[in-house]
Amino acid sequence: MQAAAKVAVSVANAVPVPESSAEIVTFRPPVRPAVERAMGIARHVVSVVLPPLIVLSVTLFVWQLLCSEPGARLPPPTKVVSDAWDFIADPFYDNGGIDKGAFWQISKSLGRVAIGFSLAAVVGIALGVLVGQSTWAMRGLDPIFQVLRTVPPLAWLPLSLAGFRHADPSALFVIFITSIWPIIINTSVGVRNIPQDYRNVASVIRLSWWEVFYKITLPATVPYIFTGLRIGVGLSWLAIVAAEMLIGGVGIGFFIWDAWNSSRISDIIVALVYIGIVGFLLDKLIATVGHFVSHGVSAQ
Amino acid sequence: MTTQPYLKFEQIGMSFRRGQMATEVLRDVNLRIERGEFVSMIGHSGCGKSTLLNILGGLLKSTSGEVFLEGKVVDEPGPDRAIVFQNHSLLPWLTVYGNIAIAVDKVFGGSQGKGKTKAERHDWVMHNLELVQMAQAKDKRPHEVSGGMKQRVGIARALAMQPKVLLMDEPFGALDALTRAHLQDSVMEIHSKLGNTVLMITHDVDEAVLLSDRVVMMTNGPAATIGEILPINLARPRRRLELATDAEYARCRAAVLEFLYARHRVPARAA
């Protein structure tokens, strides 16, 4: 005890702080009444919902004004709703053939996207890891990828029809080939950006090739992979609508083409709104999954 | 057999080649370290101390010379030479527990000689977390704990591999002074408890003198080598407060400073 005291004195001439005599005051958090809290939430909701609502109403109003005069080429919103009311009100009708409700049309298209996009995800991630890990694979494949990814989706359709000789697999192929490029490219960038530290850790604990892949490479690359998947799912939704117009059958794409051929302009407009909403939801779905799968990785 | 040192660097030389240009980083490095010794290596930036540590770690292959550990040549990375990295290198998608378990499961899993059952491995992970006082944070992810805590986990991960030599690459370089002092105390305590052989790289003269049995001082690069080895004859356990006025401590500290700043000052270009 004495030794410690001596050391302290010789190190510095410390001045003891006088014991504080200040009175301790406790602050009680003010209790906000329930009404006030509810008002706060309401104000927040209004501030989020109100701006898009205003813009939407103004747009609809202007549209209504512009298309109301007789001889207008496009129907105003009120006419769209009254013309297409059957289509809007009952999404589940099925009159056989291709005469089905919106739900069936959209789910057919979504089913195609699900198959084509899942294939693209599996193959794209595998190729991306290969290209990211091997310099040789990158030098060999990257120029080809860079050229092929600029080919528009529909340009693949005739070739795939020639190859598959059936409409359905051709549509799947178009989705596959459209959405695979961003998945490959983002995955390979992710793999190339894995910090050397992680690789060092893996080699010190002597992980095998396979363990490195699923314990280090995949989790470290997940945020990049999901960026690729998000772009890919958006592109495949773009591609399916265009491809279905050409291959026919049930599907929201051919529904639009069929509506055009029978001059049901209002149905086209409703279908466009549905396509937009579904595309938006697809994007949000992948983003949400990505958020949960990559917990913590991006927040270093 | 008695003359065989535990760890031996023999005539290590290293040059990096970039196109036509070859840079010689290390030349003729010879060093012997005994079991249980705590050796630190100090020198100016760019003197090749990290390169030397990475050669021992097996992450780099020396251009000439060999490293022997218990008489065997070191030529690949392995858990017997666990490394504590400067920037902790924890995997951000794993919890604190998971970061240690990934190493423990690999090193002690399976049916080789060191095989442990699942329950034993769990206990071993927890034991090492307790050693660095991080057991309470086992379910946190690395980004949820402070820098000092991350480095504690990094140390626990390395210790959990039961390495023959513990390599520390400026383990406290990225930490503030108070946290660094805490961790230094922890490392001294663990070293006295477990008796590991440790090779530590540092920039900090006080840290080197406080922790080590010997301080290896490197000359400046290119073609750096060991300039001088200073034995630190201070009794353990060492307490930083008492050492502040200790004559032997002051002498050692002065010797290292003299080496670094009088005899091997960094040439102006490198500043």
Side-chain angles (χ1 to χ4, degrees):
Chain A
M1 198 56 209
Q2 205 161 359
K6 209 161 52 182
V7 167
V9 169
S10 64
V11 166
N13 295 321
V15 179
V17 179
E19 232 172 275
S20 169
S21 60
E23 198 184 322
I24 294 169
V25 183
T26 49
F27 289 95
R28 209 176 298 147
V31 183
R32 283 203 297 165
V35 181
E36 201 178 309
R37 243 179 304 160
M39 286 285 285
I41 294 169
R43 223 172 299 147
H44 176 73
V45 170
V46 165
S47 71
V48 170
V49 172
L50 208 55
L53 217 58
I54 292 172
V55 173
L56 190 65
S57 344
V58 170
T59 313
L60 288 175
F61 181 71
V62 172
W63 176 9
Q64 182 80 35
L65 277 187
L66 289 178
C67 298
S68 282
E69 56 197 85
R73 291 182 192 159
L74 295 177
T78 46
K79 191 162 184 314
V80 168
V81 172
S82 60
D83 282 356
W85 185 247
D86 290 344
F87 187 63
I88 299 169
D90 183 9
F92 298 107
Y93 73 84
D94 184 352
N95 297 338
I98 61 163
D99 189 9
K100 293 180 200 282
F103 175 81
W104 303 113
Q105 305 280 4
I106 289 173
S107 32
K108 182 74 186 174
S109 301
L110 275 178
R112 287 183 176 127
V113 166
I115 297 170
F117 177 70
S118 306
L119 283 175
V122 172
V123 178
I125 292 170
L127 277 176
V129 170
L130 178 72
V131 171
Q133 248 162 7
S134 148
T135 315
W136 273 101
M138 188 191 76
R139 287 189 191 145
L141 292 171
D142 196 58
I144 301 175
F145 292 163
Q146 297 298 342
V147 171
L148 289 185
R149 77 187 174 90
T150 63
V151 175
L154 279 192
W156 290 101
L157 191 61
L159 191 66
S160 54
L161 279 170
F164 292 108
R165 301 203 170 269
H166 290 285
D168 244 354
S170 303
L172 296 183
F173 178 76
V174 168
I175 294 168
F176 172 84
I177 206 76
T178 308
S179 54
I180 198 169
W181 309 117
I183 302 175
I184 294 177
I185 290 167
N186 280 282
T187 306
S188 67
V189 168
V191 171
R192 245 172 277 148
N193 283 350
I194 295 176
Q196 184 61 37
D197 297 339
Y198 300 173
R199 298 180 195 278
N200 286 347
V201 169
S203 54
V204 166
I205 63 181
R206 287 210 184 119
L207 293 180
S208 65
W209 176 87
W210 172 242
E211 287 166 327
V212 171
F213 178 73
Y214 80 89
K215 287 187 175 170
I216 309 280
T217 308
L218 269 191
T221 319
V222 154
Y224 292 89
I225 292 178
F226 271 89
T227 306
L229 290 178
R230 253 180 102 173
I231 302 172
V233 85
L235 288 181
S236 60
W237 189 239
L238 294 183
I240 188 57
V241 173
E244 280 175 348
M245 285 188 176
L246 297 185
I247 62 168
V250 178
I252 195 74
F254 188 68
F255 173 84
I256 291 180
W257 194 247
D258 190 42
W260 159 245
N261 284 331
S262 39
S263 300
R264 288 180 279 123
I265 306 296
S266 299
D267 283 2
I268 295 178
I269 293 170
V270 173
L272 287 188
V273 172
Y274 285 169
I275 289 172
I277 291 171
V278 171
F280 174 79
L281 292 179
L282 277 179
D283 183 68
K284 283 284 163 271
L285 174 74
I286 300 287
T288 311
V289 174
H291 180 76
F292 279 105
V293 177
S294 65
H295 53 133
V297 179
S298 43
Q300 289 188 50
Chain B
M1 201 59 199
T2 44
T3 55
Q4 183 75 279
Y6 188 60
L7 173 65
K8 183 168 72 171
F9 291 86
E10 199 172 86
Q11 289 296 110
I12 298 291
M14 184 75 187
S15 31
F16 289 105
R17 192 168 270 289
R18 184 176 292 159
Q20 296 296 311
M21 292 272 290
T23 323
E24 191 176 20
V25 180
L26 294 169
R27 180 191 288 172
D28 299 343
V29 176
N30 290 290
L31 180 64
R32 292 158 165 254
I33 296 177
E34 296 305 326
R35 183 193 286 268
E37 247 191 319
F38 197 121
V39 174
S40 46
M41 198 170 271
I42 197 164
H44 293 289
S45 301
C47 74
K49 29 186 209 314
S50 286
T51 307
L52 196 61
L53 186 109
N54 284 338
I55 291 171
L56 172 56
L59 298 173
L60 288 175
K61 183 85 194 83
S62 63
T63 324
S64 59
E66 298 282 5
V67 181
F68 297 91
L69 178 59
E70 288 191 317
K72 287 196 203 86
V73 174
V74 164
D75 55 2
E76 57 171 355
D80 57 341
R81 282 154 288 124
I83 305 176
V84 178
F85 298 93
Q86 175 174 13
N87 51 358
H88 63 75
S89 295
L90 300 180
L91 304 176
W93 55 88
L94 296 177
T95 58
V96 162
Y97 180 91
N99 265 287
I100 298 177
I102 189 177
V104 168
D105 287 347
K106 183 63 191 172
V107 177
F108 299 105
S111 51
Q112 302 102 301
K114 280 174 154 181
K116 285 183 197 276
T117 66
K118 210 173 168 203
E120 283 171 337
R121 276 180 272 148
H122 168 77
D123 291 345
W124 181 238
V125 172
M126 291 312 295
H127 170 78
N128 281 284
L129 278 174
E130 275 154 24
L131 209 55
V132 296
Q133 297 141 35
M134 284 296 292
Q136 78 291 346
K138 73 182 178 71
D139 294 323
K140 294 225 162 79
R141 284 178 203 284
H143 65 90
E144 294 170 318
V145 302
S146 70
M149 289 163 108
K150 282 185 202 135
Q151 199 51 284
R152 283 178 188 274
V153 180
I155 292 170
R157 178 174 62 187
L159 288 172
M161 299 179 213
Q162 284 194 321
K164 291 177 180 161
V165 198
L166 180 63
L167 313 186
M168 302 172 102
D169 188 357
E170 291 181 42
F172 315 127
L175 305 175
D176 65 273
L178 287 176
T179 311
R180 194 185 307 162
H182 271 295
L183 272 154
Q184 288 163 352
D185 291 345
S186 293
V187 165
M188 278 197 285
E189 198 181 306
I190 291 166
H191 180 244
S192 73
K193 206 183 283 178
L194 306 179
N196 322 70
T197 312
V198 184
L199 181 63
M200 178 179 77
I201 285 177
T202 180
H203 273 129
D204 182 334
V205 176
D206 286 294
E207 180 172 285
V209 175
L210 177 68
L211 296 180
S212 323
D213 298 313
R214 285 190 293 157
V215 177
V216 173
M217 293 173 262
M218 301 284 291
T219 62
N220 287 327
T225 189
I226 294 174
E228 203 173 297
I229 299 178
L230 178 76
I232 311 287
N233 295 314
L234 290 168
R236 289 180 189 272
R238 298 172 181 169
R239 294 197 184 81
R240 66 180 66 243
L241 262 185
E242 294 169 14
L243 288 178
T245 52
D246 187 289
E248 173 67 8
Y249 180 85
R251 189 190 66 76
C252 293
R253 197 170 173 280
V256 178
L257 286 173
E258 206 260 343
F259 179 92
L260 287 178
Y261 299 105
R263 277 187 284 154
H264 293 277
R265 193 169 357 169
V266 185
R269 52 144 188 94

